[in-house]
Amino acid sequence: MPLPTVIVPGYLESAIAYRQLEQSLQQLNFPTLTVPLRRRDWLPTIGGRTITPILQQLDRTVKQMLQQHNATQINLIGHSAGGWISRIYMGEKPYFARGDVKPSLWQAHPLVATLITLGTPHISQERWTRSNLDFVTNNYPGAFYKNVRYVCVAGKTIFGQRRRGSWFAYSSYKLTCGKGNTWGDGITPIEAAHLEGAENLVIEGVKHSLRSPGIWYGSPEPLKTWVQYLI
């Protein structure tokens, strides 16, 4: 029986948006549940503040899946910010950010068999997200936990340029990795979506957001590329 799987939504996204991906994985016999976030649950995190409320909901969901399926480990799938949030959740260093009253600690890496990140910006130059991402990078660089299988999926869809049609991608890439003239999924450049020591994949033609026209990481065809890494 495959391990239960938990999906961690991207920034400002709700669980409802991942219903189709959830169902696709269930049809492949992976018991799957998305962290039950509503868009308003992200409000306390805006402006570089703590993401502890999201981590608390992630922890409840993981514990629920472990108990429900009588399992000792789960797979984690983090879309966009959900990927680096998952890395904080696995970690052994107290997390304390603006808005927190006291540090929090989950030490969940023994519970995670595989972490798959989809279009996750693992680095950032943007001042609001940089404090959280620097915490991850400084404390858990690369594929940090050897007992966890890290799979980092990037999209090669839009080359950032300062011209109509690719200006937004250029700006987003520049805010993320410091340069705009590079390939990515329209939001996250490839080099920011990969981690040293991970199994790093590139899928052509996928858009970052599940709300974009066309296909995204969880669409049926791209799914075939990374679902094989789930345990």
Side-chain angles (χ1 to χ4, degrees):
M1 183 73 178
L3 290 181
T5 294
V6 172
I7 299 170
V8 189
Y11 194 59
L12 298 178
E13 276 297 356
S14 66
I16 294 169
Y18 296 84
R19 187 67 50 80
Q20 189 172 352
L21 174 57
E22 198 177 280
Q23 291 172 348
S24 296
L25 291 168
Q26 288 167 352
Q27 288 167 6
L28 294 169
N29 294 321
F30 290 99
T32 306
L33 186 64
T34 304
V35 179
L37 298 171
R38 299 158 297 181
R39 297 188 84 172
R40 66 174 178 265
D41 291 334
W42 292 94
L43 292 177
T45 75
I46 289 173
R49 294 172 67 84
T50 178
I51 45 94
T52 296
I54 308 301
L55 287 157
Q56 289 169 337
Q57 291 211 51
L58 167 57
D59 186 53
R60 283 196 290 270
T61 307
V62 168
K63 300 287 174 53
Q64 176 187 335
M65 290 296 273
L66 289 171
Q67 184 176 10
Q68 186 177 331
H69 297 280
N70 193 28
T72 57
Q73 287 190 307
I74 50 105
N75 298 309
L76 271 183
I77 298 171
H79 173 230
S80 194
W84 59 258
I85 289 170
S86 298
R87 292 170 67 202
I88 293 177
Y89 176 62
M90 294 194 300
E92 297 173 291
K93 301 286 177 67
Y95 170 77
F96 186 82
R98 193 160 59 90
D100 279 329
V101 176
K102 60 180 182 179
S104 301
L105 183 60
W106 288 271
Q107 298 177 293
H109 68 92
L111 305 178
V112 181
T114 300
L115 168 65
I116 296 182
T117 66
L118 306 175
T120 292
H122 290 291
I123 56 172
S124 180
Q125 308 296 318
E126 202 270 324
R127 69 190 184 103
W128 296 122
T129 55
R130 188 166 181 172
S131 59
N132 277 318
L133 278 166
D134 281 355
F135 174 83
V136 183
T137 303
N138 293 335
N139 289 299
Y140 317 113
F144 188 75
Y145 288 109
K146 301 310 173 192
N147 56 303
V148 178
R149 185 180 199 180
Y150 291 75
V151 181
C152 299
V153 189
K156 185 180 180 182
T157 309
I158 299 173
F159 187 81
Q161 297 177 84
R162 286 198 272 188
R163 68 180 191 190
R164 189 177 178 181
S166 54
W167 177 268
F168 182 81
Y170 175 91
S171 302
S172 183
Y173 300 164
K174 192 169 177 61
L175 269 176
T176 305
C177 70
K179 65 179 180 184
N181 296 115
T182 189
W183 281 99
D185 61 14
I187 299 288
T188 303
I190 293 172
E191 61 194 82
H194 285 167
L195 286 174
E196 186 175 347
E199 297 181 62
N200 294 313
L201 311 177
V202 176
I203 305 177
E204 297 205 10
V206 297
K207 299 278 186 66
H208 181 85
S209 174
L210 62 181
R211 298 178 185 274
S212 300
I215 62 171
W216 79 290
Y217 293 98
S219 297
E221 280 303 311
L223 176 63
K224 293 175 185 175
T225 302
W226 56 263
V227 73
Q228 60 188 301
Y229 293 92
L230 293 176
I231 295 173

